[in-house]
Amino acid sequence: QTERYAGSVVCLCVCACLTLNSVPLAPARGPSRGGPPRQGGYGWGPARSRRSWVWNQFFVLEEYTGDEPLYVGKLHSDMDRGDGQVTYVLSGEGAPSIFTIDPNTGDIHATKRLDREAQAYYTLRAQARDRASARPVEPESQFVVKVQDINDNEPRFLDGPYAASVPEMSPMGTSVVTVVATDADDPTYGNSARVVYSILQGQPYFSVEPKTGLIRTALADMDRESRDQYLLVIQAKDMVGQMGGLSGTTSVTVTLSDVNDNPPHFYQSYQYLVPESAPLASLVAKVKAVDSDLGSNADVDYSILDGDPLGMFRIVTDRETQEGLLTLQKVLDYEARPSYTLTVEVTNRYVDPRFVALGPFSDRATVRLLVKNVDEPPVFSSDLAKMAVSEAVDVGTSVGRVSALDPDSTNSPVRYSIDRNTDLERYFHIDGSTGELRTARLLDRELVSLHNITVTASESLDPSQVGTSVVLISVTDVNDNAPAFAIDYQPFVCENARSGQVIETISAVDRDEPQTGHRFLFSLLSPGDGATANFTLRDNQDNTASVLTRRAGFLRRERPLHLLPVLISDAGPPALSSTGTLSVRVCACDADGGRSLCGEESSLLRAAGLSPAALLSILACLLLLLGEGHTDLLTPPLVHESVHECLYEWVNVRQ
């Protein structure tokens, strides 16, 4: 038994059934022993083998559509003597749902249609058993049933439909896009999965390489402006394109992208009517050149080549519409020039050097501008007139004259007037016919040094036409103000002052403004009280003067205050002067020269024998008494000569 198992084998063959250490036998013409005729393949008769197992195997064609189960092959064991004692058992993939075995004969059939693309082979296990005991008479063996491919799948374009672009004017043979078709059939068996490509629609503009599916341009210099899109139909056919092969198609939309191969063109000349009153920077005309290209390839720039030597106009490009916008740069005057004829050029902003030979990428057009005459207001000879007049002139003095004319051909007479909102005090008057300005009031430079008035000129024939001009009248200065102290000086001298010590530096101011600048002179007048014996004045030659002591030692008990009259003069002409008095107080000073008690403020306190702090305390008490109703302290009998007596009676009253 052991030796029989060891000598058994299951053989799997493609073309014929072989036994171990045997050669293929010629196919039998008739049916197999003990089984039906073989279907879907070749059949072989039994062969003498050194092993116990013998069976036949065939490739099973997929997609079998017959009415009967498809015969696959036959299993046979040498232990089978044909007496019905051996039964055959099949297990593994698809058994028994797809593959069945006749337990008596060992014939295997496929009961369902097979699809190689779903499963290409099945692994099965076979065994011969004793019918009575169900014990195996042979060891179990494994074999494979392969599903043979047929051409049952057409090529498919999994990424289709396609969209691609190629620049216009491309040379013939320019690559556009590669299409790829896949075939689910077996690429290792026959030609079922070998596809070739062809173009069904899109000729003669494009071609496709049969083996790679690469689409190329078949014509040179295709023009986007003539046709910008092509719909191609590409076919992929298996069986290397032979008759009977299956095919699939896809569409390819090819768009020609734009290049700058077209220059801009003007298709007309232009004429516009522009009123001479058009404001500066206003739009007076529009021009537009047509460029068949797209995007930046159609961007253009405009320029004025001729007809505008004075720079009256300026042209710029509207980036949104690619129009040329002509604007006014200087004021138009119909009477001076009634029309302008301009030559405008348009050029592509970006030129592709590959297509320079198609140029020039520019064009020109004529733009005629007709200036429309309008009734204009009078025009002054100057928009701003400057005049000057002395503040010393009499009323009615002529200041100057303005002049305005009607620019129109009618040359209407004009009438002049002053806008009184600019001369509320009515300092000036204007002659309505001549435009002469005169003073109507006395002027004072120190009050108003500059008069800014507006003069109007209106047409006599049409008073609604009014022109204006600004007149600046400067009032020139005369020396009519005497100098005076710059500030209210509060000089003091210490009791221990030295002789020649500077106690104050004074300066002066003058409301006049002489052209050469101020020059002040200072001198000390003698008041008759001996003040000049105590003090002197030194001119510093810089419009200041210093007050100095002439002696040392001052006693505030003897004389707490000194009055110094100072004469201040200017340089004219004519020279004017004024006198200012300096009140010099005598003060008790500390070691650093800082004053502590000065002049008359100490005499009252000294009489009361009180310090300033004590006096403040007494005053606080008086205010408190007033709050308590003791108003009798303010009656005349209580008014005394000194603070001491007042305090004494105040104490008696409180008692």
Side-chain angles (χ1 to χ4, degrees):
Q1 179 76 21
T2 303
E3 292 177 354
R4 184 170 66 250
Y5 282 1
S8 300
V9 66
V10 176
C11 299
L12 178 61
C13 307
V14 175
C15 303
C17 180
L18 301 178
T19 60
L20 188 61
N21 300 326
S22 67
V23 296
L25 300 178
R29 296 295 181 181
S32 302
R33 183 183 62 183
R38 289 156 174 78
Q39 304 174 40
Y42 299 95
W44 287 265
R48 187 175 181 84
S49 175
R50 297 175 185 173
R51 302 298 181 184
S52 300
W53 275 94
V54 178
W55 68 84
N56 298 329
Q57 178 187 359
F58 294 86
F59 284 101
V60 180
L61 288 177
E62 66 172 333
E63 304 295 345
Y64 172 71
T65 58
D67 295 333
E68 297 296 329
L70 177 65
Y71 181 73
V72 176
K74 184 179 181 66
L75 295 177
H76 182 72
S77 172
D78 287 346
M79 301 300 294
D80 187 357
R81 305 303 180 184
D83 55 4
Q85 296 302 313
V86 176
T87 182
Y88 296 95
V89 179
L90 186 68
S91 62
E93 289 182 306
S97 59
I98 299 176
F99 299 100
T100 62
I101 190 168
D102 188 320
N104 297 318
T105 64
D107 291 330
I108 302 174
H109 290 81
T111 61
K112 294 183 179 180
R113 187 167 61 179
L114 303 179
D115 184 0
R116 188 201 67 83
E117 287 71 40
Q119 186 164 344
Y121 63 88
Y122 295 84
T123 301
L124 298 170
R125 294 183 301 278
Q127 191 174 51
R129 297 180 181 179
D130 182 80
R131 184 181 297 275
S133 64
R135 295 178 63 183
V137 297
E138 300 282 355
E140 187 180 65
S141 296
Q142 180 174 293
F143 65 98
V144 175
V145 176
K146 291 187 177 179
V147 182
Q148 184 178 357
D149 184 50
I150 65 171
N151 189 20
D152 61 338
N153 290 278
E154 73 277 4
R156 295 178 181 274
F157 293 92
L158 301 181
D159 296 328
Y162 294 84
S165 66
V166 64
E168 64 172 330
M169 308 302 290
S170 294
M172 184 176 62
T174 301
S175 299
V176 179
V177 67
T178 298
V179 296
V180 177
T182 58
D183 195 311
D185 291 323
D186 189 354
T188 65
Y189 179 78
N191 295 323
S192 297
R194 294 179 62 187
V195 301
V196 294
Y197 301 92
S198 60
I199 183 167
L200 302 183
Q201 178 180 313
Q203 297 172 322
Y205 306 103
F206 298 91
S207 64
V208 62
E209 293 186 359
K211 293 184 178 180
T212 64
L214 174 61
I215 299 174
R216 298 180 182 272
T217 57
L219 291 179
D221 301 333
M222 287 188 287
D223 188 9
R224 184 200 64 81
E225 287 73 32
S226 299
R227 182 178 176 183
D228 64 348
Q229 198 170 80
Y230 297 83
L231 180 62
L232 283 60
V233 177
I234 305 298
Q235 175 184 267
K237 189 173 184 179
D238 59 18
M239 300 298 292
V240 202
Q242 297 176 0
M243 183 177 297
L246 303 179
S247 64
T249 61
T250 188
S251 64
V252 182
T253 301
V254 180
T255 302
L256 297 184
S257 58
D258 187 59
V259 299
N260 190 10
D261 60 337
N262 292 280
H265 286 293
F266 286 113
Y267 290 97
Q268 69 178 88
S269 57
Y270 300 86
Q271 180 170 304
Y272 288 92
L273 185 64
V274 184
E276 63 177 333
S277 58
L280 295 180
S282 61
L283 181 65
V284 297
K286 287 184 179 182
V287 298
K288 185 170 185 178
V290 177
D291 192 317
S292 301
D293 295 319
L294 299 176
S296 61
N297 294 324
D299 288 346
V300 295
D301 290 316
Y302 297 89
S303 60
I304 300 174
L305 292 185
D306 192 25
D308 186 26
L310 300 179
M312 300 289 293
F313 306 95
R314 178 172 177 257
I315 192 168
V316 296
T317 303
D318 186 323
R319 299 306 181 200
E320 297 294 330
T321 65
Q322 297 300 312
E323 292 177 305
L325 308 180
L326 202 65
T327 57
L328 185 64
Q329 300 300 298
K330 296 182 179 179
V331 176
L332 296 174
D333 187 353
Y334 172 83
E335 288 73 26
R337 185 171 179 177
S339 66
Y340 295 84
T341 301
L342 310 179
T343 300
V344 174
E345 182 180 55
V346 62
T347 58
N348 268 131
R349 187 171 306 145
Y350 311 107
V351 178
D352 193 326
R354 297 175 298 173
F355 307 108
V356 171
L358 301 178
F361 285 80
S362 63
D363 199 10
R364 297 179 181 181
T366 299
V367 180
R368 183 172 173 80
L369 300 175
L370 304 178
V371 181
K372 179 182 178 182
N373 187 27
V374 297
D375 190 6
E376 299 173 272
V379 178
F380 282 88
S381 57
S382 175
D383 292 334
L384 176 64
K386 295 182 179 181
M387 303 177 184
V389 61
S390 172
E391 65 175 330
V393 300
D394 296 330
V395 174
T397 301
S398 176
V399 178
R401 178 177 296 181
V402 294
S403 176
L405 295 174
D406 181 7
D408 299 317
S409 56
T410 56
N411 194 20
S412 171
V414 298
R415 294 286 300 175
Y416 301 96
S417 62
I418 295 176
D419 182 353
R420 288 304 173 186
N421 289 325
T422 62
D423 185 29
L424 297 175
E425 301 297 328
R426 296 183 177 269
Y427 281 101
F428 301 96
H429 168 76
I430 191 169
D431 189 301
S433 300
T434 65
E436 183 178 18
L437 283 162
R438 295 180 175 272
T439 59
R441 292 179 54 183
L442 293 177
L443 304 177
D444 187 349
R445 189 204 64 83
E446 287 71 39
L447 292 178
V448 183
S449 60
L450 180 66
H451 296 267
N452 184 342
I453 65 175
T454 299
V455 175
T456 62
S458 59
E459 293 183 12
S460 297
L461 301 179
D462 184 5
S464 65
Q465 296 295 328
V466 178
T468 61
S469 176
V470 174
V471 180
L472 298 179
I473 302 176
S474 300
V475 180
T476 59
D477 187 49
V478 296
N479 192 27
D480 57 348
N481 291 277
F485 281 135
I487 61 174
D488 182 16
Y489 293 101
Q490 300 291 328
F492 71 92
V493 62
C494 294
E495 289 183 307
N496 58 352
R498 302 182 307 273
S499 177
Q501 182 176 336
V502 176
I503 63 170
E504 187 67 270
T505 299
I506 60 175
S507 62
V509 293
D510 193 326
R511 296 176 63 192
D512 296 320
E513 291 184 359
Q515 295 181 353
T516 58
H518 290 291
R519 177 67 181 96
F520 299 122
L521 302 175
F522 301 89
S523 60
L524 191 60
L525 300 179
S526 177
D529 60 353
T532 54
N534 298 316
F535 302 95
T536 185
L537 198 64
R538 182 181 66 200
D539 196 324
N540 295 325
Q541 303 300 314
D542 61 355
N543 289 337
T544 67
S546 298
V547 180
L548 299 87
T549 60
R550 300 191 69 174
R551 65 181 180 85
F554 292 85
L555 294 176
R556 67 180 186 277
R557 294 178 178 272
E558 296 179 355
R559 188 171 181 180
L561 185 66
H562 297 266
L563 301 179
L564 301 180
V566 179
L567 179 67
I568 310 171
S569 307
D570 59 23
L576 299 178
S577 63
S578 67
T579 300
T581 300
L582 295 175
S583 298
V584 182
R585 292 178 296 166
V586 180
C587 299
C589 300
D590 56 24
D592 296 327
R595 60 182 179 177
S596 59
L597 198 60
C598 295
E600 294 180 340
E601 70 181 22
S602 62
S603 61
L604 179 60
L605 297 178
R606 192 169 58 247
L610 299 173
S611 66
L615 180 60
L616 290 176
S617 299
I618 295 174
L619 291 176
C621 294
L622 290 175
L623 293 175
L624 181 60
L625 292 174
L626 289 175
E628 294 177 357
H630 296 276
T631 57
D632 55 338
L633 292 176
L634 302 181
T635 57
L638 294 180
V639 178
H640 301 284
E641 295 180 357
S642 67
V643 176
H644 285 290
E645 295 175 349
C646 180
L647 290 174
Y648 177 79
E649 294 219 6
W650 175 74
V651 173
N652 290 335
V653 170
R654 292 294 294 174
Q655 292 176 349

